[in-house]
Amino acid sequence: AIVIYPNPSARDFNIKSSGDFAEEKVKVSIVNTLGQSIYSSFVTAQNGEINLTINGLNPPKGTYTVLFTTDKAQIAKRVTVN
């Protein structure tokens, strides 16, 4: 399961996943409602888990899509900044 917290967020938030990814490289992207990427990073899942803190972005208020992309799949989750 992928959990994004706090959600809604004032600005910074955490991403945790467990069992969603094998030992593989995962591209984590945050996209606004216009489809523009405001953040992108590659992380490597450790024991199938990702722990990532997103801070310092200071995006405008709104709803964003967090995309998790691997060679095999893409998972989308939403986060609200207020």
Side-chain angles (χ1 to χ4, degrees):
I2 298 172
V3 178
I4 300 173
Y5 65 94
N7 192 7
S9 171
R11 186 174 78 191
D12 303 338
F13 52 91
N14 301 290
I15 298 170
K16 289 186 83 118
S17 77
S18 57
D20 294 285
F21 307 101
E23 303 298 316
E24 58 189 326
K25 188 182 281 187
V26 180
K27 181 180 181 184
V28 179
S29 305
I30 302 173
V31 180
N32 65 18
T33 55
L34 299 175
Q36 299 166 322
S37 178
I38 64 163
Y39 174 88
S40 182
S41 178
F42 284 95
V43 296
T44 301
Q46 301 292 326
N47 299 317
E49 297 183 359
I50 292 175
N51 291 301
L52 183 63
T53 298
I54 308 294
N55 55 25
L57 284 182
N58 201 19
K61 293 179 182 180
T63 301
Y64 295 84
T65 302
V66 183
L67 298 172
F68 302 87
T69 308
T70 68
D71 291 337
K72 301 172 189 165
Q74 185 174 64
I75 300 170
K77 294 287 185 177
R78 296 211 186 273
V79 64
T80 301
V81 175
N82 59 11

